[in-house]
Amino acid sequence: MVVYIDLIFITNLLIDGALLWLTAWMRKLRFRWWRLTVSAAVGALYVVMMFVPQLSFMYTFVIKFALSLLMLWIVFGFGSLQNYIRNMGAFYIINFAAAGGIIGIHYLLQNSGEIFNGIWYTASGGLSFELKIGFWFAFIMCFAVLLWFKLVYASRRKLENRQEYMGEVIAFVGDCQIHCTGLLDTGNQLTDPLTRTPVMVMEASLWKEKLPPAWMERLSEGEPDKLVLELDDEEFEWRDRLRLVPYRGVNRGSAFMLAIKPDAVEIRIGDQTSRCRKVLIGLDGGQLSGDRSYQAIIHPDLVREGGESSAQDAKPPANSPTLTL
């Protein structure tokens, strides 16, 4: 059997470098590339040592664990014991995820004949399983699994960050209460240009039991101004609460949004609760969130410290307000 030491060294250098880089990304650590390269080279040299019979004593748990500590010290330094333990935990989690992913994908791609050929009986009557994974398969799958792990972890962290700006929204209109989850959008500056009333946006589907059946389709088509003109032929109990709010959407010209004047809106984000009376609720005919995690966009002026909020400090816009959806 021919073994190419240089190929094994370069391969392990790239894999160890990717594992260390992903550890730094996961822990949000800064590092110098030359330190990462030296650390990955130390790990790659250790693999090459397996071909030196005189160094076989180094392949023990203690030596392997000490080597991982050395690699982390080279690239990240020590800092403090707490941070060092966290870096070690992240490094091993990524290693186990990569190894488990490679084995799992290899198992999925095997047929029944290949699986049974790898099973054999021991002298004591037990079962043992021999796993043979190709060199290039392990190399390619390692990077594929690491990329997959990065994407999943990034989406989870993004969701956690967004949860800090999400809260419960309760709209009170007469005897009706509409409950939903809202997202606080600090860039939302949509206000009624005449009364300077902040406008929060909610999905029109939340109000479908109170709105005329034909309105849902018309709202999704973006024709709220025509609905107001046709009110003479419609019996609608909240006719006096309807407003048309002009706005300028992204990549589009000026348009109008149909809004309802509620009695009050209560917003609960974390431990803070705000109750607003000077507010309009704009009705959007589509879905504000693709994953349905929230159904309303909260205007930042509606969230005040101290509980009660009337949003009287809203500044009038110079032109038509801009709403980002």
Side-chain angles (χ1 to χ4, degrees), residues 17 26 43 62 98 136 143 154-155 158 182 216 219 233 248 251 284 308:
M26 184 177 178
V62 176
W136 290 111
F143 286 94
S155 62
K158 182 179 179 180
M216 298 301 301
L219 287 174
D233 301 330
R248 186 181 300 275
N251 297 329
D284 186 271
E308 190 76 16

Side-chain angles (χ1 to χ4, degrees), residues 222-234:
E223 300 177 345
D225 50 338
K226 296 182 180 180
L227 289 177
V228 176
L229 295 176
E230 297 172 359
L231 279 178
D232 294 338
D233 301 330
E234 296 278 357

Side-chain angles (χ1 to χ4, degrees), residues 231-284:
L231 279 178
D232 294 338
D233 301 330
E234 296 278 357
E235 293 185 1
F236 185 50
E237 58 178 333
W238 293 343
R239 181 180 305 180
D240 297 337
R241 297 179 180 267
L242 295 180
R243 305 287 189 275
L244 278 179
V245 179
Y247 72 97
R248 186 181 300 275
V250 178
N251 297 329
R252 66 172 66 178
S254 299
F256 289 93
M257 174 176 291
L258 185 65
I260 294 178
K261 180 66 177 69
D263 296 327
V265 171
E266 188 173 289
I267 303 171
R268 302 171 184 171
I269 300 180
D271 297 332
Q272 178 181 348
T273 299
S274 301
R275 188 177 180 87
C276 316
R277 292 188 174 87
K278 189 177 182 181
V279 58
L280 293 176
I281 299 177
L283 303 180
D284 186 271

